[in-house]
Amino acid sequence: MSLFTPSARILRGLGPHLRKTQCVRTHAQFRTLTTKPPLSSPASSEPPRTRLDPIILHRLEAERRAYYKRRSYYAAAGFVFGMIAILVTAIQIPIDPPSEPSSTSDSSSTTSSFIKPTKLDSGRRVDDPLVVLGRERKVVVQKLGEEPEEKVDVVHTGTSTVPTFPRILDFYDDEREALGNGTAPAVLDDRLVEYQLVGLGIRTVSFLGIEVYVVGMYVATDDIAALQRGLVRMIDPVASTLVAGEKEQLKGKLFDAEEGTRVWSTVLKEGGIRTLLRIVPTRNTDFHHLRDGWVRSITARAVADKEQYGDEAFGDAVREFKGLFNRGSVPKQKELLLSRDKKGRLAVWYDDGKNGAQRLGDVHDERISRAVWLNYLAGKTVASEGARKNIVEGIMEFVERPVGTVATQVV
């Protein structure tokens, strides 16, 4: 029995050429059968994952950080403005004074529930007037060669809390204007001195422009000629009035930081002019707050000019000035007057509306009052820019008239 299969025997019977071709064909068929793709596996439940670009991931992370940073900025700004709103609201709300106890039994408990305000030590009579304002007065100003011009007796301030300031004040200092030769008893001069308003403005603080008080500068009517003479001589030593170009030159000097300080220092120190600063708060404040503002200005000038303000006597005068304001609160719409006499001595008066005008004290060093006045009149920064501009405009009205011809008549 042959070991070869019939197929093998048939192949052997064929020629070599046919056997080779058949083998190739057989191998080709075998390769075709073995190279078929495998049956597809069941579909996977997970979707195919896409690989993210690192640059995209970095940008997304940066956007997320920027988002939370903006949120933190908004939260901080909201907190700050919320605290400012609370502070402004607390300051704006007026606090009524405590009512008098109804009976003797509860007087002790009512008194202990609040701290009594500091009393002002002054021996001035309550019925003595600090400022006499006549409601029927009229101010008549007449320029040389012109018809008389009638003006109202009040000036609008620009704020509703203190709407007007009087154009004319009658004032006297009973201690500083006492007459005597040093040996005989002094004789009190009760003659009221008339003062005219030169200019006014509003003192504001912070970037919100919070109004603190209205300040106005007054000059004694009898000393207006000396003020005119001192300012005119800064431009022309022999002139009696200034023309348009010279007025602009003087205005430029008054607004300049260094020249304005030099001009006003000379006028205040050598002019012998009596002036007043009338201050009326637009919100409840205290003496310490007002004092700190003036002391900062005085200290700044002392540091800038140690030759003039660096001696020990000036330091004692500053401490004396601080002592005048070791007191309590100053309610809004109450009047505080700072007066400066011919020698530059400073006196402080306060009217609380209940006990009448009271004299808080004085400082004899002329440099203290001059530094306080310069805080509103000259320098790179002043306490009230509106007040300086208004005062300069009032000065321009004075210097355009001949010296000694500014007439104020009360009818």
Side-chain angles (χ1 to χ4, degrees):
M1 182 177 180
S2 177
L3 294 177
F4 295 99
T5 61
S7 299
R9 288 196 298 268
I10 293 171
L11 291 174
R12 289 183 64 184
L14 297 175
H17 177 71
L18 295 176
R19 286 201 303 267
K20 183 177 180 181
T21 305
Q22 183 65 30
C23 289
V24 173
R25 186 178 301 170
T26 304
H27 283 292
Q29 291 177 357
F30 177 78
R31 288 175 61 87
T32 304
L33 291 175
T34 56
T35 56
K36 286 184 179 179
L39 297 176
S40 60
S41 60
S44 177
S45 59
E46 297 183 359
R49 296 182 179 179
T50 303
R51 184 179 179 182
L52 296 178
D53 190 356
I55 298 178
I56 297 177
L57 290 176
H58 179 73
R59 291 177 180 175
L60 293 175
E61 179 65 18
E63 291 179 359
R64 187 183 68 86
R65 292 181 179 178
Y67 168 73
Y68 284 106
K69 184 179 292 186
R70 286 195 302 270
R71 288 190 60 181
S72 63
Y73 288 162
Y74 293 154
F79 173 77
V80 171
F81 282 107
M83 295 302 295
I84 293 175
I86 294 174
L87 177 62
V88 172
T89 303
I91 294 176
Q92 288 286 354
I93 297 177
I95 301 177
D96 297 331
S99 58
E100 296 293 334
S102 57
S103 60
T104 308
S105 60
D106 60 349
S107 60
S108 59
S109 61
T110 305
T111 305
S112 61
S113 62
F114 62 92
I115 301 176
K116 294 182 179 180
T118 305
K119 293 184 179 180
L120 302 177
D121 49 349
S122 175
R124 182 178 173 84
R125 300 189 307 273
V126 177
D127 56 346
D128 283 349
L130 172 64
V131 176
V132 179
L133 299 179
R135 296 183 178 275
E136 297 181 355
R137 299 170 55 135
K138 296 180 181 179
V139 180
V140 178
V141 178
Q142 183 175 3
K143 299 180 181 180
L144 189 63
E146 298 181 4
E147 294 295 328
E149 176 185 358
E150 183 177 312
K151 296 186 177 181
V152 295
D153 57 354
V154 294
V155 178
H156 294 281
T157 63
T159 177
S160 58
T161 309
V162 185
T164 59
F165 254 41
R167 189 180 296 274
I168 300 294
L169 290 183
D170 289 335
F171 168 81
Y172 72 97
D173 191 336
D174 56 355
E175 293 189 19
R176 239 173 24 190
E177 294 181 3
L179 304 178
N181 55 11
T183 57
V187 179
L188 186 63
D189 181 11
D190 287 334
R191 179 177 59 86
L192 293 175
V193 179
E194 184 180 83
Y195 287 78
Q196 290 191 43
L197 179 65
V198 180
L200 56 83
I202 302 174
R203 160 72 170 167
T204 59
V205 294
S206 82
F207 66 95
L208 298 176
I210 300 176
E211 298 177 352
V212 181
Y213 57 79
V214 182
V215 57
M217 177 180 170
Y218 292 79
V219 60
T221 303
D222 296 339
D223 297 338
I224 292 179
L227 177 62
Q228 288 179 285
R229 190 178 302 109
L231 292 173
V232 169
R233 287 179 178 177
M234 292 294 172
I235 304 300
D236 190 343
V238 297
S240 61
T241 185
L242 298 181
V243 296
E246 295 173 333
K247 285 174 54 180
E248 293 300 323
Q249 184 179 355
L250 176 61
K251 182 184 292 187
K253 285 189 174 184
L254 294 179
F255 280 119
D256 184 77
E258 296 182 0
E259 285 296 318
T261 301
R262 183 185 66 83
V263 170
W264 279 116
S265 296
T266 303
V267 171
L268 293 173
K269 185 177 180 180
E270 303 175 1
I273 302 167
R274 293 165 294 179
T275 53
L276 297 175
L277 288 179
R278 184 175 187 259
I279 297 171
V280 181
T282 58
R283 62 181 64 250
N284 296 333
T285 183
D286 54 60
F287 283 99
H288 291 174
H289 177 74
L290 298 173
R291 178 199 63 189
D292 293 343
W294 292 323
V295 171
R296 283 194 298 268
S297 173
I298 294 173
T299 305
R301 294 193 180 277
V303 172
D305 190 356
K306 294 183 179 180
E307 181 179 356
Q308 184 173 180
Y309 299 97
D311 58 341
E312 185 177 353
F314 182 76
D316 296 337
V318 173
R319 286 188 289 270
E320 186 178 358
F321 176 77
K322 291 181 179 179
L324 299 180
F325 301 95
N326 289 332
R327 307 177 188 275
S329 61
V330 182
K332 62 180 179 180
Q333 299 179 338
K334 302 306 178 183
E335 181 182 15
L336 182 68
L337 275 184
L338 280 65
S339 64
R340 193 176 191 275
D341 67 0
K342 289 180 176 293
K343 296 182 179 180
R345 292 175 295 184
L346 173 71
V348 181
W349 291 83
Y350 175 62
D351 188 355
D352 61 358
K354 299 177 181 179
N355 301 318
Q358 300 185 28
R359 194 175 194 271
L360 306 186
D362 54 25
V363 180
H364 290 268
D365 195 323
E366 179 269 340
R367 294 172 293 181
I368 295 295
S369 63
R370 176 153 45 99
V372 174
W373 262 243
L374 290 176
N375 185 37
Y376 298 96
L377 297 175
K380 186 176 181 180
T381 58
V382 292
S384 173
E385 186 62 34
R388 174 163 70 169
K389 292 180 179 179
N390 199 250
I391 291 172
V392 170
E393 293 299 328
I395 292 298
M396 293 300 105
E397 295 183 4
F398 285 161
V399 298
E400 69 181 3
R401 312 171 196 171
V403 174
T405 60
V406 178
T408 302
Q409 180 181 359
V410 180
V411 293

